[in-house]
């Protein structure tokens, strides 16, 4: 994941994304071991929920346009979360390939 770039200052977003990744990969592995279809469904519902939040209302400037900062942050978070979801999908796919 990302390292803080400003000395020893904590990076709460990176820490939260690391925690999400650990939890989601562990959950996916556990569920996929029992029911691969359910694991796939849960991941897709998770992706839809996350994208709904990221596509939601934006901070608007006085001229009613989304600020570039808000757009950049949402884009960066979306990239990180999609990478985590892709890793979780790989866990499910690896489990599926073990059965064939």
């Amino acid at each position: 994941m990302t390292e803080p770039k400003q000395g020893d200052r904590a990076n709460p977003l990176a820490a939260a994304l690391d925690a999400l990744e650990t939890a989601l990969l562990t959950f996916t592995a556990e569920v996929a071991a029992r029911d691969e279809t359910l694991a796939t469904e849960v991941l897709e519902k998770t992706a839809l929920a996350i994208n709904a939040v990221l596509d939601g209302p934006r901070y608007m400037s006085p001229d009613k346009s989304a600020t570039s900062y808000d757009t950049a942050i949402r884009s960066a978070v979306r990239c990180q979360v999609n990478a985590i979801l892709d890793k979780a999908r790989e866990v499910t796919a690896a489990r599926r390939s073990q059965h064939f």
Side-chain angles (χ1 to χ4, degrees), residues 6-7 19 23 31 40 42 65 71-72 82-83 98 100:
Q6 298 176 349
V31 173
T40 300
V42 168
S65 62
T71 302
N82 283 334
Q98 290 175 353
F100 295 108

Side-chain angles (χ1 to χ4, degrees), residues 26-40 42 95:
T26 301
F27 174 80
T28 301
E30 292 291 324
V31 173
R34 293 183 197 94
D35 187 339
E36 296 159 22
T37 302
L38 178 61
T40 300
V42 168
R95 182 75 185 165

Side-chain angles (χ1 to χ4, degrees), residues 40-81:
T40 300
E41 289 174 8
V42 168
L43 285 175
E44 294 315 310
K45 287 180 181 180
T46 301
L48 289 172
I50 290 169
N51 284 317
V53 169
L54 292 173
D55 290 339
R58 300 184 186 301
Y59 177 78
M60 305 301 255
S61 65
D63 68 354
K64 302 295 184 211
S65 62
T67 65
S68 58
Y69 177 79
D70 184 65
T71 302
I73 293 298
R74 286 174 189 257
S75 178
V77 170
R78 185 184 312 273
C79 287
Q80 292 293 322
V81 169

